[in-house]
Amino acid sequence: MESANQLVSVGTFQVLKLPLGFIRVLEWLFAIFAFATCGGYSGQLRVSVDCQLDKASSNLSIGIDFAYPFRLHQVSFEAPLCDGRRRESLFLIGDYSSSAEFFVTIAVFAFLYSLMATIVYIFFQNKYRENNRGPLIDFIVTVVFAFMWLVSSSAWAQALSDVKVATDPDEVQELISACKVMTNKCGSVQGPRWSGLNTSVVFGFLNFVLWAGNIWFVFKETGWHKGGPARYAGAPPEKQAATFSQQQPYNQGSFDQSGGYSGQGDREQASEYSPVGEPTSYSNQM
């Protein structure tokens, strides 16, 4: 307990009030919502098959369940053939697992990195700024995640659109042989609810906005943004002095603006007199 209290006392929680730390907290919160709404989804649709010539074979509530990662071609269901008690086994069409898993993977890694970065900001601020290595790595990773969020969210949005088409009850009815017979009646009983998956797409693009916007605040911490001051601050004193003398040249034998004499003028004036204070040209005058 004492070690925990010491760790809290050492941490600089003021960084959470700055845009850099505050946005990091939002990033890992939004990443949780993104992969939770997508990875935890399960839906169901129901269709009915009414056999007009064989009422006993009718099934007015055929339930079809599907879930993440949306390998619909592995989702099976049974439908009556309206020919005695015979039934057929059918599968949905499509495999959208790659886009869904890619989206969830980016969300999980973004959550882990933003959480780790927040901890570093709070408890290891000195190590983070040492040799400018921490801000540079943070900047590169932030740019990569911003790009990956854009790609994964766009891919998942397109895949979700295809999932909606593949699980549309009207589309599923076309797979059932009995529904192709004009005398039989097929209909939609219940369609899937898409609010959770729609929310995941929204959070995906919100994460892109957060990570893209945070690029500027991370960039301000790097030496690239602080190029001039950081260059002189990291140079040795001799190099700083040489640079300063090159930028501000002066002439030792010139007058200053206040009217005082320079060092060279004083030496010329003193050379007109002898060491004992008498004029050097006295013997010539005699």
Side-chain angles (χ1 to χ4, degrees):
M1 186 65 180
E2 293 180 358
S3 60
N5 293 333
Q6 292 177 357
L7 186 63
V8 172
S9 62
V10 172
T12 56
F13 288 92
Q14 295 295 327
V15 71
L16 299 181
K17 297 181 180 180
L18 301 176
L20 179 64
F22 181 71
I23 294 178
R24 280 287 184 241
V25 174
L26 292 181
E27 285 172 353
W28 65 263
L29 285 176
F30 279 39
I32 293 175
F33 295 142
F35 70 74
T37 52
C38 179
Y41 178 82
S42 61
Q44 184 185 67
L45 64 101
R46 291 183 177 274
V47 295
S48 63
V49 178
D50 187 6
C51 302
Q52 297 296 319
L53 301 179
D54 189 2
K55 292 293 186 179
S57 301
S58 300
N59 189 341
L60 302 180
S61 183
I62 302 174
I64 305 173
D65 299 322
F66 63 97
Y68 173 86
F70 307 103
R71 295 187 177 94
L72 301 183
H73 66 288
Q74 297 179 356
V75 177
S76 62
F77 63 98
E78 291 186 350
L81 288 172
C82 295
D83 184 10
R85 296 291 181 176
R86 296 173 56 191
R87 307 176 69 85
E88 63 176 345
S89 181
L90 301 170
F91 292 86
L92 296 179
I93 300 176
D95 182 8
Y96 309 98
S97 59
S98 59
S99 297
E101 290 176 341
F102 178 52
F103 178 80
V104 171
T105 300
I106 294 300
V108 171
F109 279 103
F111 161 74
L112 294 176
Y113 178 79
S114 56
L115 180 60
M116 181 189 68
T118 304
I119 295 175
V120 171
Y121 293 164
I122 296 174
F123 299 106
F124 305 99
Q125 187 67 228
N126 294 333
K127 292 291 184 181
Y128 172 77
R129 298 181 183 276
E130 184 177 356
N131 297 327
N132 198 37
R133 185 178 303 173
L136 288 179
I137 296 176
D138 196 16
F139 173 75
I140 294 173
V141 174
T142 302
V143 172
V144 171
F145 267 111
F147 176 74
M148 298 305 289
W149 269 118
L150 177 62
V151 174
S152 62
S153 299
S154 301
W156 170 231
Q158 180 60 45
L160 177 58
S161 178
D162 296 336
V163 170
K164 291 180 179 180
V165 174
T167 57
D168 185 13
D170 294 333
E171 295 292 331
V172 174
Q173 293 173 28
E174 297 181 359
L175 303 175
I176 302 174
S177 301
C179 295
K180 299 177 182 178
V181 180
M182 299 299 297
T183 57
N184 299 324
K185 293 182 179 180
C186 298
S188 173
V189 178
Q190 176 185 337
R193 296 181 179 179
W194 303 111
S195 58
L197 294 182
N198 291 335
T199 303
S200 68
V201 174
V202 173
F203 276 114
F205 284 105
L206 284 178
N207 274 284
F208 163 70
V209 173
L210 283 176
W211 285 83
N214 205 23
I215 291 176
W216 167 246
F217 297 106
V218 179
F219 176 73
K220 289 173 65 177
E221 301 295 324
T222 64
W224 296 337
H225 180 262
K226 304 173 182 179
R231 185 167 60 249
Y232 293 122
E238 296 80 2
K239 186 175 181 180
Q240 294 182 19
T243 305
F244 181 79
S245 62
Q246 292 176 4
Q247 292 179 350
Q248 296 185 2
Y250 62 93
N251 186 359
Q252 296 181 353
S254 61
F255 293 99
D256 57 16
Q257 294 180 357
S258 60
Y261 292 98
S262 64
Q264 183 178 354
D266 294 336
R267 288 194 301 269
E268 294 177 355
Q269 183 178 6
S271 63
E272 297 178 358
Y273 297 90
S274 63
V276 295
E278 295 180 357
T280 56
S281 58
Y282 177 76
S283 57
N284 295 332
Q285 294 176 0
M286 292 297 293

